[in-house]
Amino acid sequence: MARAEIARRGFTGRISVLPGAAEDVLPGLDGGAYDLAFFDGFTPTLAVVEDLYRLLRPGGTLLAGNLVLGPAPAVTRHLADPAAGARIPSGRARCA
């Protein structure tokens, strides 16, 4: 469905859908190559969050769903720590 909608909107050459387990797919991607990472499959582990940040260009944006489902405390601390690479303006993880 995602690929069909991306094609319908004319973004096939600009957006990639990478199916599979995050732990299997993310390590094979080039770091610093992406403007946006959107993750929505389960509450991300700290390893997944760290790998997603590794993939982003400076100033890139990470969107992660399911944080309201109770991520591990290590994930919440990492997202709230600017020194860890988080780019959350308020210095806190925000759930929407």
Side-chain angles (χ1 to χ4, degrees):
M1 284 177 48
R3 285 190 183 105
E5 187 63 20
I6 289 166
R8 187 176 79 78
R9 304 260 180 185
F11 291 112
T12 302
R14 298 179 65 192
I15 298 174
S16 298
V17 176
L18 305 172
E23 294 85 354
D24 298 332
V25 174
L26 297 178
L29 300 175
D30 292 335
Y34 299 88
D35 296 315
L36 172 73
F38 173 71
F39 180 83
D40 184 28
F42 55 86
T43 301
T45 63
L46 180 57
V48 167
V49 169
E50 288 175 336
D51 225 2
L52 288 166
Y53 275 124
R54 178 189 65 79
L55 297 174
L56 292 172
R57 289 185 174 125
T61 300
L62 168 60
L63 299 174
N66 298 321
L67 294 179
V68 297
L69 298 178
V75 171
T76 304
R77 282 191 305 275
H78 181 81
L79 290 173
D81 182 4
R87 296 163 194 72
I88 301 170
S90 67
R92 296 178 315 189
R94 291 181 291 169
C95 302

